[in-house]
Amino acid sequence: MNNIKYIMRHERKLVIQIPCYNEAETLALAIRELPREVPGFQKVEFLVIDDGSTDNTAEVAAACGVEHIVRHHANLGLARAFMSGLHAALSADADVIVNTDADNQYDARDIPLLTQPILDGKAQYVIGTRPISEIRHFSPLKKMLQKFGSFMVRKFSGTVVEDAPSGFRALSREAALRMNVFNNYTYTLETIIQAGYKNLGILCVPIHVNEDLRPSRLVKSIPQYIKRSAFTMIRIAILYYPFRFFMTLGIGCFCIGSILGCRFLWYFFQGAGSGKIQSLLLAALFLLTGVIAGMIAFVADLLAVNRMMLEDIQYTMRRAKLFDGEEK
């Protein structure tokens, strides 16, 4: 948990945001299920992010009485839509922001379960854990991949998140101010790893899900999902833990090179070194790669420190811009 304690105002506002891309068919149902009253909040408002839809998603949102509508002129991806929602919700003076899906996947009656730990000061970021094993429209392979992916995210982030791909989550105003998403594919993995990196308090709560209304647009095929998720996690690891990543790579290559070098020396002193030149070349290649990766680790660590300072400046500017004059 950050050393800066987040203090809410007496008049609390909850903003429920829904990133959308061509969701005109299901959006009305999702909005209709959202609560207008949530314990602990004096105001509850809705926010729809229309991520370059080619249908009448924005018009449906307006007809349903949504207070805030953000429109992208082109499809920028789920991650960008999520961040646009956070910025708009902060501008709308939200104390807590709940993110949900337009396909009504998540049971809106569980929203108080997400917000209560934030109101109680127990967390700044709360993620709803779906009953993966009980979801009937998930194939056994998808269930296995969901669990394995969440396990890897826990290892990367040092958190206890049980359902990393879940989009049903709540953020305090403090957490939203500190969030940045750099990839365009999805925000779910990066924000968890970022929250762990920044020591934001994270909790998971069990939630319920509704019947499937349409196939997932994020997971078009299992191989593509595995490839993009793996690439995203590697990129995030390099971004947030550059020293550990490159130093681990460097040490690994250096050890392999040392073993190959020792193998060549063994045969060389046995008088059979002339037939083992390949081992010598590979040893040199791995040793050189290890040294270069080690040097990159130190440079990347310096860049990470610089990025942290820039993020602190960004955070201070966001607070000053949005909440100047308020009680902090």
Side-chain angles (χ1 to χ4, degrees):
M1 185 77 70
N2 284 337
N3 293 327
I4 299 176
K5 185 173 178 59
Y6 176 60
I7 302 175
M8 288 189 184
R9 302 162 299 175
H10 295 296
E11 294 290 328
R12 299 177 182 137
K13 178 189 284 189
L14 170 66
V15 172
I16 304 174
Q17 72 172 37
I18 310 176
C20 297
Y21 178 63
N22 291 339
E23 300 286 5
E25 293 184 5
T26 60
L27 181 58
L29 173 61
I31 294 174
R32 189 165 59 246
E33 296 296 318
L34 296 179
R36 277 296 182 180
E37 293 184 1
V38 176
F41 297 93
Q42 284 67 48
K43 292 183 180 180
V44 178
E45 296 178 354
F46 302 159
L47 163 66
V48 164
I49 307 96
D50 181 3
D51 187 28
S53 297
T54 56
D55 62 5
N56 60 333
T57 291
E59 288 75 11
V60 171
C64 291
V66 173
E67 289 86 352
H68 312 282
I69 300 175
V70 176
R71 302 192 70 172
H72 292 169
H73 294 297
N75 181 235
L76 303 180
L78 180 59
R80 294 286 187 89
F82 174 80
M83 286 304 300
S84 293
L86 292 190
H87 295 156
L90 290 171
S91 297
D93 214 17
D95 290 285
V96 177
I97 304 165
V98 167
N99 185 85
T100 188
D101 281 359
D103 60 359
N104 200 40
Q105 174 187 175
Y106 307 108
D107 192 334
R109 291 174 295 182
D110 290 334
I111 286 178
L113 298 178
L114 298 177
T115 58
Q116 196 59 48
I118 297 176
L119 295 176
D120 294 339
K122 297 179 180 179
Q124 294 187 38
Y125 198 6
V126 182
I127 299 174
T129 301
R130 297 167 294 178
I132 299 295
S133 301
E134 301 173 13
I135 299 178
R136 290 180 294 178
H137 60 270
F138 279 12
S139 66
L141 177 59
K142 186 174 181 179
K143 292 178 181 179
M144 182 187 70
L145 290 174
Q146 294 271 16
K147 293 179 179 180
F148 177 74
S150 297
F151 169 77
M152 293 301 297
V153 171
R154 287 196 296 273
K155 293 300 180 182
F156 268 106
S157 63
T159 65
V160 293
V161 175
E162 300 173 6
D163 185 9
S166 172
F168 199 35
R169 45 186 72 190
L171 299 87
S172 70
R173 181 164 52 167
E174 181 74 16
L177 280 166
R178 292 188 176 276
M179 281 297 162
N180 288 297
V181 178
F182 300 103
N183 79 87
N184 296 330
Y185 178 54
T186 179
Y187 62 89
T188 56
L189 307 181
E190 184 172 352
T191 54
I192 294 171
I193 293 174
Q194 187 175 144
Y197 179 77
K198 295 181 178 181
N199 294 317
L200 297 175
I202 305 180
L203 280 182
C204 298
V205 296
I207 59 168
H208 302 87
V209 295
N210 298 315
E211 292 296 325
D212 187 37
L213 296 180
R214 59 162 175 78
S216 172
R217 291 175 179 167
L218 193 64
V219 185
K220 296 180 179 179
S221 69
I222 295 297
Q224 182 195 51
Y225 177 74
I226 295 173
K227 181 178 70 174
R228 298 194 70 170
S229 296
F231 178 78
T232 298
M233 291 184 66
I234 292 172
R235 187 170 182 267
I236 292 171
I238 295 173
L239 181 64
Y240 292 102
Y241 304 100
F243 185 84
R244 183 191 306 177
F245 180 87
F246 286 108
M247 188 56 71
T248 300
L249 178 64
I251 291 174
C253 289
F254 196 86
C255 289
I256 294 174
S258 298
I259 292 171
L260 291 172
C262 290
R263 178 178 182 273
F264 171 78
L265 291 175
W266 169 264
Y267 283 107
F268 178 79
F269 287 116
Q270 295 295 321
S274 58
K276 304 297 179 182
I277 298 299
Q278 297 89 338
S279 295
L280 179 61
L281 294 175
L282 282 175
L285 177 62
F286 276 103
L287 289 171
L288 180 61
T289 302
V291 171
I292 293 174
M295 295 173 64
I296 292 175
F298 286 100
V299 175
D301 193 48
L302 294 175
L303 293 175
V305 171
N306 186 58
R307 181 179 57 80
M308 290 171 59
M309 291 190 293
L310 290 174
E311 287 189 344
D312 285 340
I313 294 172
Q314 179 194 56
Y315 166 75
T316 302
M317 292 178 65
R318 283 177 175 175
R319 288 188 67 94
K321 179 180 179 181
L322 294 171
F323 310 118
D324 188 28
E326 288 189 10
E327 182 183 20
K328 304 295 191 288

